[in-house]
Amino acid sequence: MIAENLKEVLSGIPDHVKLVAVSKMNPVERVMEAYDAGQRIFGENKVQELLPKYEALPKDIEWHLIGHLQTNKVKFIAPFISMIHSVDSFRLLEEINKQAKKNNRVIDVLLQFHIADEETKYGFVMEEIREMVKEKSFYEMENVRISGVMGMASNTENSEQVRFEFIELANIFETLKSHFFKFNDDFKEISMGMSGDYQLAIEEGSTIVRVGSKIFK
Ligand SMILES: *Cc1c(COP(=O)(O)O)cnc(C)c1O
């Protein structure tokens, strides 16, 4: 079943778009089913759920952290995490850089932006980026690779609103690219789109979709 769902989802995603299979709340046996069907990139939103899965599952899995990350938990995932989508403060970025350095690694990160019409979702606002790029220490971080932006649209049936929010994130990406990352070829990813809206997200420029329930239903 998971293999079929995965195939169905992949058939709707163009080659240039990466699929993160969001395995949160699914036991390792079910993650293994997706692995056996060929999936290698998995996303988790909580460190305490990710760690036992990392231990139990094959080591060629690329793990992505997609949920809010507390600075005091960075050290637990720094030895192995491939990408952190949910960087929402300069302080967190600095901590990731520090822990990556300790592990002699460079960690891919995305800057999360608040695009939803909801109070609770984490993320930067543009002004905070303008402040961040004024810091000398911003340019001295050698163990993080700032690879683009991430956002979550509102949880609504109104697809015009969702589309509008995706366009907003794509515009944020373009603004950052042209103002601050023009000569940085690593800054190229837009992580947006989940089970209910990934097709819309791809139409609006997504390069990474994070799909959970449609694969693990
Ligand atoms: C759970 C989650 C997803 C996947 O959501 P589905 O609707 O199950 O596809 C994507 N991104 C984040 C940040 C999530 O927490």
Side-chain angles (χ1 to χ4, degrees), residues 22 24 45 66-67 150 152 194-196 210-214:
V22 178
K24 67 183 185 203
N45 67 337
I66 60 173
M150 179 270 212
M152 272 172 99
M194 319 195 333
S195 290
R210 312 176 308 268
V211 179
S213 47
K214 198 165 178 194

Side-chain angles (χ1 to χ4, degrees), residues 22-37:
V22 178
S23 49
K24 67 183 185 203
M25 298 184 295
N26 284 279
V28 289
E29 300 75 44
R30 286 171 64 78
V31 185
M32 201 56 208
E33 261 185 80
Y35 179 90
D36 286 336

Side-chain angles (χ1 to χ4, degrees), residues 2 14 32 67 78 154-155:
I2 287 174
M32 201 56 208
S154 299
N155 184 10

Side-chain angles (χ1 to χ4, degrees), residues 83 106-110 142-148 184 186:
M83 180 178 265
V106 177
I107 296 176
D108 289 334
V109 301
L110 301 176
E142 291 182 336
N143 297 78
V144 286
R145 195 181 291 118
I146 301 178
S147 308
N184 181 346
D186 299 322

Side-chain angles (χ1 to χ4, degrees), residues 177-192:
K177 181 78 190 166
S178 60
H179 286 72
F180 310 123
F181 297 98
K182 199 165 190 166
F183 305 106
N184 181 346
D185 292 336
D186 299 322
F187 193 86
K188 59 180 193 303
E189 308 289 1
I190 304 178
S191 168
M192 61 184 186

